[in-house]
Amino acid sequence: MSDIGSGDEGISSQKYHGQGMDAGGNNFDSGQQPQEQELATKMLQIQSKRFYLDVKQNRRGRFIKVAEIGADGRRSQIFLAMSTAAEFRDHLSSFSDYYSSLGPPNPDNVPDDGKLKSEMMLKDNRRYYLDLKENSRGRFLRVSQTITRGGPRSQVALPAQGMIEFRDALTDLLDDFGVDDGGFKGELPEGRHLRVDNKNFYFDIGQNNRGIYMKVSEVKSNFRTAITVPEKCWTRFRDILADYCDKMCRAQHPQDPHQGGAGPAGPAGPAGLAGGAGGAAAGGGRAGAAQPAPDIEAGRGASRI
């Protein structure tokens, strides 16, 4: 018999291999996150499905990973910040009360979309849609997680009979670890825009349960692409750009080692050089020595990304 909420409900899933992946397909168990810790876990068996609730922590704070594993081994999962998990826990109580008030399923009185009750939660750049639904196999709560501005959708389906048990397990974890997300609590910088010729570049700062990141988008009339730069490597990213700026400046304005000393004033050097190589001192004194090329590194703070 098929699980309630599976099959034609389009549950986004993958075969379970014991590795966790976030909503963007990033592997939490890879070497990229050695500082991540698993603090606690709970397992629930509801009908033919298993649900794992894992409390995890990385340098940006704590969150709960909810994984659904069907009888065939297929896995679906969503991620909840601790504060979002507390809000979800409260919604489970109201959904359970509503479910208890319903009479027996009536195949002749099912809504066209199957939805009996819906709610939405918003956290940072993620939206969570809670839908109590009914189909030919029964009633279930579908929880869908989406990322704003596109991105993958992930979802789990909880049989309605298990909502109270799931809520109680979630409450136990929240009682032990609190509802504070931890991590960065300041206000993130506003986005920036740069236009070069017929291209537009957008710099947007965001945050998810993996940390703070910068999304750099290149947009043309019929073309768009983007990269994501984690906050922990912004300084190195900036240093590489500054080094290239410095090298290109020196390559475009080479300095003649034979110029300098006494003599007529030389031509103006690159922007930022005082009087150019071999320029005479003001007031008719002895000729000034050649000035070194400007150090881009020293002034890069004003254009830090």
Side-chain angles (χ1 to χ4, degrees):
M1 179 177 178
S2 300
D3 291 337
I4 291 179
S6 63
D8 59 357
E9 291 304 322
I11 299 300
S12 171
S13 59
Q14 63 190 55
K15 282 292 184 180
Y16 174 58
H17 297 296
Q19 292 184 330
M21 300 181 73
D22 72 4
N26 299 308
N27 193 334
F28 273 125
D29 295 328
S30 69
Q32 297 176 357
Q33 289 288 330
Q35 72 274 29
E36 186 172 284
Q37 297 175 291
E38 184 172 297
L39 305 179
T41 186
K42 282 184 176 288
M43 192 276 285
L44 303 175
Q45 183 76 40
I46 302 176
Q47 295 184 349
S48 60
K49 295 181 178 182
R50 280 177 295 146
F51 292 88
Y52 289 89
L53 285 72
D54 300 325
V55 180
K56 291 178 172 285
Q57 176 175 287
N58 59 27
R59 68 190 187 97
R60 293 299 173 188
R62 291 177 179 173
F63 59 95
I64 295 180
K65 179 177 73 174
V66 179
E68 170 200 337
I69 302 176
D72 60 354
R74 298 189 70 83
R75 176 190 181 100
S76 305
Q77 57 194 21
I78 60 173
F79 296 85
L80 304 167
M82 302 302 286
S83 59
T84 308
E87 184 180 354
F88 179 44
R89 183 263 318 271
D90 296 339
H91 280 306
L92 282 173
S93 295
S94 63
F95 272 89
S96 179
D97 290 343
Y98 179 80
Y99 168 70
S100 299
S101 69
L102 298 175
N106 183 357
D108 299 328
N109 192 29
V110 177
D112 292 338
D113 59 0
K115 293 181 182 180
L116 304 173
K117 177 179 172 62
S118 297
E119 294 288 350
M120 191 270 285
M121 303 185 300
L122 178 63
K123 175 66 175 179
D124 296 330
N125 66 332
R126 299 190 180 197
R127 293 177 183 269
Y128 299 85
Y129 297 94
L130 315 180
D131 297 307
L132 181 64
K133 303 191 70 174
E134 180 178 327
N135 61 19
S136 59
R137 294 182 294 276
R139 293 167 177 163
F140 59 95
L141 179 66
R142 186 179 68 184
V143 184
S144 304
Q145 172 188 308
T146 64
I147 300 177
T148 56
R149 297 190 181 183
R153 171 189 289 253
S154 54
Q155 54 194 29
V156 297
L158 174 65
Q161 297 92 328
M163 287 192 292
I164 291 296
E165 184 180 359
F166 195 96
R167 182 203 62 187
D168 291 345
L170 197 57
T171 298
D172 289 342
L173 292 175
L174 293 171
D175 287 344
D176 290 341
F177 296 98
V179 299
D180 186 0
D181 299 332
F184 181 79
K185 292 183 173 61
E187 184 175 350
L188 295 176
E190 294 183 359
R192 301 286 295 273
H193 168 242
L194 171 66
R195 181 173 179 84
V196 181
D197 297 329
N198 66 335
K199 292 184 180 180
N200 289 282
F201 295 92
Y202 295 91
F203 301 82
D204 296 302
I205 309 300
Q207 182 178 16
N208 56 26
N209 55 14
R210 293 180 66 85
I212 297 173
Y213 60 89
M214 175 188 297
K215 181 179 178 182
V216 183
S217 305
E218 175 190 349
V219 181
K220 296 172 65 176
S221 57
N222 59 348
F223 173 83
R224 181 187 184 97
T225 188
I227 61 170
T228 300
V229 185
E231 183 266 341
K232 63 184 177 182
C233 69
W234 286 0
T235 301
R236 285 178 290 163
F237 199 87
R238 176 201 65 193
D239 289 345
I240 291 172
L241 285 176
D243 184 56
Y244 278 124
C245 290
D246 189 20
K247 289 178 179 177
M248 289 302 299
C249 180
R250 294 177 187 275
Q252 292 171 0
H253 305 284
Q255 190 173 7
D256 188 347
H258 299 293
Q259 290 183 348
L273 294 184
R286 68 186 182 88
Q291 300 296 317
D295 186 355
I296 302 297
E297 296 273 350
R300 66 173 181 255
S303 59
R304 181 175 302 176
I305 62 172

